[in-house]
Amino acid sequence: MAGQKQSGLDIDLGNLCSKDAFEWAKKTFPNRSNKAGAIALDVEGVFSNMLIFGNQRIGIGSDGIGTKIELAERTGIYNTLGFDLVAMVADDLATAGFESTSISNIIDVDKLDRDIINSLMEGLSAACNFANMTVTGGEIAELGNRICGYGDKMHFNWCSTAIGVLPEILERPIDGSTIQPGDVVIALQSRGFRSNGFSLLRKTMLANFGEEWHTEAYDENKTWGEALLTPSLIYSPIINTIISEKITPKGVVHITGGGIADNFRRVLKTNKFGAKLDNLFEPLELMQRVIELGKINPEDAYLYWNMGNGMLMVAEEGDVEQILKLAEASGYQARKAGYITESPNIEIDCETVQLKYEY
C-alpha cells in the first residue's frame, strides 16, 4: 500500500498484531467469571471492554500520544499534550457510551526535568477539568538511554489508562448492533491532526524544510511546529451530554489511526452494512497544506489522518436535529455527513475527493 511506504508504518500489520494481542487477552477472560471484575463485553474491535463490579459497569481504556511528543520537544511547548493524552482514552471510552471518570498516567523519561514534568501535568489537569475527570494515579520512571528524542532536554513517552462508568440510562454499551440502512451519520469537526499519523507528518516536514523544520513559519503568527502541535479536541463531554438527554447514538466512531473508513468499519462489524459519506467536513487548511507539500495522495491522507472529522456518530433521523443543537450549544461543530447503506462498502464523496472502500 502506498501509504505504508510513505509513512514507514504498516496499518494492516498493526491491525494483525492488535488482533493477535486480543486473542491472547481473551484467554484470560474466564479467570474472573462470576467474580467481581468479570468481562461483560467480548466484541473484537471494541477498545474498552466492560467489567462488572456489583451493580457498577466499568469501562477501561489505555493509549498514549505517540510521536506527537517530538513536537513538544522541538517547540518547548509541553502544556498542551495533556489534551492529546485524555482524548485518546476518554474518546475511546465514549465510543461505547462510557463516561470517563479518572485517569492514571505513566511518564517514562531518560532523565528528570522538573519544569517539563510540571508543564505536562499542568496540561493534563486542564484537559481533565475540560472532560470532568480526575487524575487518580501515575508513575514517573527514569529509563536512561532506553528513551530518546529530539534535542538535549528531557525525552519521554507518555501513556495512560482511563476508567469510565456506563450511565444507568444505557442498558448495554453502544456497539453498532442496532444500526440500520437509512440511519444518519453525524460528523464532529476536529481542530488538528490529533495524536496519530505523525510519522508521515514528520517525514513530510523533514523532506521539505530540513532538520529544523519546526522553526519554519506556517503563517505570520506561528511556526510549523506550533501548528502541528495543535491539541486534540476532546469529544467525550458532548457524547456524555447527548446520552444524558436520553438520546442514544447507535454507533460512535473515534477517528484515529486507520482513518475514517477503517475506524468506521469497526462499528459496522456486527451488521455488515456500509455508509455513504457525502458531506464530511473538508480537510482543515493545515491538512491541505501538508498534503500539497508532501504530494500525498488522498488514499494515504484519509488512511492516516482524521481529515477534519474527529468523531462520527450514527443516529436515527428523528434524533439528528437535537444532537446537532446539543453539539452547537456545547461549542462543537457538527453536521449531517451521510447515511448508512445496505452495501457493505464505505464511500467518501466530498468536494475534494472520492474514495470507495470495499469490505
Side-chain angles (χ1 to χ4, degrees):
M1 182 178 296
Q4 295 165 356
K5 294 177 182 177
Q6 279 192 283
S7 72
L9 299 178
D10 188 331
I11 294 290
D12 293 333
L13 179 59
N15 288 337
L16 289 173
C17 289
S18 294
K19 183 177 180 180
D20 290 343
F22 185 78
E23 291 302 319
W24 284 108
K26 285 199 297 185
K27 295 181 186 298
T28 70
F29 292 177
N31 294 338
R32 302 302 299 176
S33 295
N34 300 316
K35 299 177 183 178
I39 294 289
L41 183 63
D42 179 5
V43 180
E44 183 180 349
V46 175
F47 288 108
S48 310
N49 285 327
M50 186 169 75
L51 314 177
I52 301 296
F53 289 91
N55 294 326
Q56 194 66 270
R57 301 166 298 171
I58 304 295
I60 182 169
S62 301
D63 207 344
I65 54 177
T67 60
K68 191 171 185 178
I69 285 170
E70 186 179 312
L71 271 295
E73 294 174 341
R74 285 177 174 270
T75 61
I77 301 170
Y78 296 91
N79 64 356
T80 63
L81 290 180
F83 282 83
D84 300 294
L85 191 67
V86 170
M88 293 304 102
V89 288
D91 289 350
D92 274 355
L93 284 169
T95 64
F98 291 101
E99 179 180 351
S100 294
T101 61
S102 58
I103 189 171
S104 180
N105 68 109
I106 296 177
I107 310 175
D108 292 327
V109 306
D110 60 346
K111 59 185 178 183
L112 283 172
D113 185 311
R114 185 179 179 185
D115 289 338
I116 293 176
I117 295 292
N118 188 60
S119 188
L120 291 173
M121 293 307 298
E122 175 192 0
L124 181 59
S125 177
C128 285
N129 288 337
F130 179 88
N132 197 28
M133 298 170 63
T134 57
V135 180
T136 54
E139 168 76 6
I140 302 172
E142 295 183 72
L143 302 181
N145 62 10
R146 298 292 297 177
I147 305 294
C148 58
Y150 175 88
D152 57 4
K153 292 188 177 181
M154 186 189 89
H155 305 129
F156 62 100
N157 187 46
W158 204 10
C159 298
S160 68
T161 294
I163 300 293
V165 296
L166 196 70
E168 292 183 3
I169 196 171
L170 295 181
E171 294 184 4
R172 62 192 306 273
I174 298 168
D175 62 4
S177 60
T178 63
I179 290 175
Q180 294 293 322
D183 287 338
V184 177
V185 180
I186 298 170
L188 294 172
Q189 189 176 40
S190 68
R191 61 185 178 194
F193 282 99
R194 294 178 71 73
S195 196
N196 56 278
F198 274 82
S199 293
L200 180 54
L201 282 171
R202 290 184 295 112
K203 186 175 181 179
T204 300
M205 292 295 107
L206 180 63
N208 281 273
F209 301 121
E211 180 57 38
E212 301 301 304
W213 55 262
H214 60 284
T215 64
E216 292 288 327
Y218 173 77
D219 58 26
E220 61 183 17
N221 297 313
K222 55 182 174 288
T223 65
W224 269 102
E226 292 166 337
L228 293 175
L229 189 59
T230 300
S232 297
L233 179 58
I234 303 170
Y235 297 105
S236 56
I238 183 56
I239 304 300
N240 299 153
T241 296
I242 290 168
I243 293 171
S244 72
E245 292 292 326
K246 299 182 180 180
I247 303 170
T248 303
K250 291 187 171 186
V252 183
V253 186
H254 184 193
I255 309 302
T256 55
I260 291 172
D262 193 41
N263 284 284
F264 202 4
R265 185 68 248 162
R266 290 171 178 154
V267 83
L268 296 172
K269 275 188 174 181
T270 58
N271 49 38
K272 310 300 184 185
F273 297 132
K276 174 83 169 183
L277 304 175
D278 55 4
N279 193 39
L280 289 167
F281 286 101
E282 291 293 335
L284 303 169
E285 179 188 352
L286 174 63
M287 296 174 174
Q288 293 173 337
R289 288 182 62 178
V290 170
I291 290 168
E292 292 171 4
L293 279 174
K295 298 180 174 57
I296 298 165
N297 62 57
E299 290 84 358
D300 290 338
Y302 276 84
L303 176 68
Y304 286 101
W305 302 319
N306 64 75
M307 302 305 283
N309 302 267
M311 184 164 275
L312 302 178
M313 281 182 283
V314 181
E316 293 182 356
E317 179 70 50
D319 291 332
V320 172
E321 286 306 313
Q322 190 172 357
I323 289 174
L324 295 178
K325 288 179 181 178
L326 289 170
E328 182 180 2
S330 298
Y332 294 87
Q333 298 297 314
R335 62 162 64 168
K336 291 172 65 173
Y339 53 91
I340 301 299
T341 62
E342 289 191 13
S343 164
N345 301 326
I346 295 177
E347 296 183 50
I348 297 175
D349 187 1
C350 299
E351 181 178 338
T352 57
V353 67
Q354 290 79 42
L355 298 171
K356 183 176 181 179
Y357 301 85
E358 297 182 355
Y359 294 94

